Amino acid sequence: MQALQVHAGPRALKHLREHGLAASDVRAIPGAAGGPKGLVLGPLDQFIFGEWLQDVAHPVHLIGASIGAWRMATACLRDPRQAFARMADDYITQEYEHKAGKAPTPTHVSEVFGAKLLEHFAGQEVQVLNHPKFRLHVFTSRGRHVLKREGRRLSRVTTPLGYLGAFATNVVSRKAMGAWLERVIFSDARDTFPLHTHDYSTRIVALDAQNLQQSILASCSIPFWLDAVHDIPGGPRGAYWDGGITDYHLHLNYASLRDGLVLYPHFQKSIIPGWLDKALKHRHRASPHLDNVVVVSPNPEWIATLPDGKLPDRNDFKRYTHDVPARVRAWRRAVAESERLRDEFQQLVERREPIAALPL
């Protein structure tokens, strides 16, 4: 049984079947939201960023939301292999104080998680922002109207009300949700953001040393689990939340890239536009925007062999509430097993032969 599967849009599929995949083909790499699910991509990330793409002669745009933003920023550090190993270890062993029978407070989670990001990136901003090959783009969701500020008293009413409004408008039209939540991309200032963003209300802000960590924290700030991040330097004032709310799996207009392919290491083959689209199955289909996209993802049959028969997910925090060591063991085993994804991808690209990919 193969652990890795490869799917591609029409243009990318033709290229793979005729030429295979080379590092020189890759112009952009997205990193999806999805919390602990992204852990199984760690060994693959170590190979792709720590070895395979090291000698490319052109810029590669790294586009991330939520844990995907943390992953893409980690790729820009001096030693990606070590940095990804540390990221996985810190994510797996995270633990938060809480009262018996209650979840930890969002403020506490934000403080602990923010401190962990500081450990990873404080003093490393120059490395990330001046990587010779990689261009980082961090996606966040900025609240509008009743979501424009989050306070301890007001948020008990306004935040649920705002997200209820976002949910209702999104059912009618994804673009209409922009009345409640705006996409703000903190983008490498050296190059123009490479994709068209006409699909959704969008602002693009220059990424710099002052907003790097705050934008990553905001991109990971799941509503009701973490506090919003307010007034990020350089961006419009307001409350910023998880980039996955507007762009869960970053179903963007990749076809607007001038040349090359988009390599998408993902934990599933489908690319869901926004977090509120998870229940809207008709929005999970491939679109012309994915014409040049190559998705490498785990085989569902392989996933069934992992602990609990699934990828790690946020529900595991509840499943293992009273047994954190058991959760840590399960997640570590999943990451260890996912080395097969790395090995199989490495074999595919090092053979330099046509790849029998499947259509998205």
Side-chain angles (χ1 to χ4, degrees):
M1 178 182 62
Q2 290 290 111
L4 187 76
Q5 56 185 11
V6 183
H7 294 80
R11 177 153 63 93
L13 190 67
K14 183 175 185 295
H15 181 93
L16 293 180
R17 289 177 174 178
E18 293 179 357
H19 308 288
L21 182 66
S24 58
D25 297 325
V26 178
R27 294 298 189 277
I29 299 181
K37 295 174 185 174
L39 287 170
V40 299
L41 302 174
L44 189 58
D45 285 339
Q46 287 181 303
F47 171 71
I48 289 172
F49 297 109
E51 184 175 340
W52 191 53
L53 292 178
Q54 286 297 301
D55 296 326
V56 293
H58 55 263
V60 178
H61 294 273
L62 309 186
I63 303 166
S66 199
I67 192 175
W70 189 4
R71 285 173 52 220
M72 296 301 103
T74 298
C76 298
L77 293 172
R78 182 170 291 114
D79 185 346
R81 285 180 174 274
Q82 182 181 22
F84 277 115
R86 180 186 177 192
M87 175 187 171
D89 188 67
D90 284 346
Y91 199 101
I92 289 170
T93 58
Q94 64 181 300
E95 190 173 357
Y96 303 96
E97 297 176 4
H98 60 92
K99 295 180 180 179
K102 293 188 176 181
T105 67
T107 298
H108 175 62
V109 177
S110 289
E111 289 172 351
V112 173
F113 185 66
K116 186 59 63 178
L117 287 179
L118 277 174
E119 291 178 15
H120 280 254
F121 297 108
Q124 313 300 318
E125 294 89 353
V126 172
Q127 286 182 42
V128 174
L129 298 170
N130 292 279
H131 193 282
K133 302 294 171 57
F134 300 153
R135 306 290 188 264
L136 178 65
H137 309 280
V138 177
F139 275 53
T140 66
S141 303
R142 174 179 170 265
R144 304 182 67 187
H145 305 303
V146 297
L147 291 175
K148 66 183 179 181
R149 308 298 297 180
E150 184 183 43
R152 291 185 179 179
R153 294 181 181 178
L154 287 175
S155 62
R156 293 179 182 178
V157 176
T158 58
T159 301
L161 181 63
Y163 277 101
L164 180 61
F167 175 82
T169 53
N170 183 66
V171 170
V172 177
S173 164
R174 171 168 157 74
K175 199 166 187 177
M177 190 178 70
W180 298 92
L181 290 158
E182 178 182 51
R183 172 198 288 155
V184 179
I185 307 170
F186 290 84
S187 181
D188 192 304
R190 292 174 292 176
D191 286 330
T192 303
F193 185 70
L195 309 177
H196 294 166
T197 57
H198 310 309
D199 63 311
Y200 193 82
S201 175
T202 303
R203 294 201 200 194
I204 297 178
V205 176
L207 191 62
D208 60 31
Q210 283 67 51
N211 60 32
L212 174 64
Q213 292 171 53
Q214 287 191 52
S215 64
I216 297 172
L217 176 59
S219 190
C220 295
S221 293
I222 305 166
F224 311 111
W225 285 70
L226 287 85
D227 289 337
V229 177
H230 286 84
D231 305 332
I232 300 177
R237 290 177 61 81
Y240 292 78
W241 276 281
D242 196 306
I245 301 301
T246 54
D247 294 281
Y248 187 44
H249 291 169
L250 298 155
H251 192 133
L252 306 173
N253 189 357
Y254 299 108
S256 62
L257 275 175
R258 292 184 178 180
D259 55 12
L261 300 178
V262 175
L263 175 64
Y264 199 151
H266 198 12
F267 44 78
Q268 62 184 50
K269 69 173 184 178
S270 60
I271 301 175
I272 303 169
W275 189 82
L276 296 176
D277 296 321
K278 289 198 292 184
L280 305 177
K281 301 296 184 183
H282 63 284
R283 295 188 187 173
H284 298 192
R285 302 169 187 156
S287 75
H289 287 174
L290 307 181
D291 185 43
N292 55 341
V293 175
V294 178
V295 176
V296 292
S297 62
N299 182 341
E301 293 181 6
W302 173 80
I303 290 174
T305 69
L306 298 179
D308 302 314
K310 64 176 187 59
L311 297 174
D313 62 41
R314 204 163 56 245
N315 290 328
D316 290 339
F317 286 111
K318 294 181 180 178
R319 179 193 297 263
Y320 294 104
T321 299
H322 304 295
D323 194 353
V324 173
R327 175 182 61 77
V328 169
R329 286 195 299 272
W331 285 11
R332 286 198 191 284
R333 183 183 151 198
V335 171
E337 293 290 334
S338 66
E339 291 180 3
R340 284 190 59 187
L341 302 176
R342 175 202 62 204
D343 294 344
E344 290 180 16
F345 179 80
Q346 185 173 357
Q347 291 170 8
L348 274 179
V349 297
E350 289 185 348
R351 284 203 304 255
R352 299 181 181 275
E353 296 175 354
I355 295 173
L358 299 171
L360 272 175

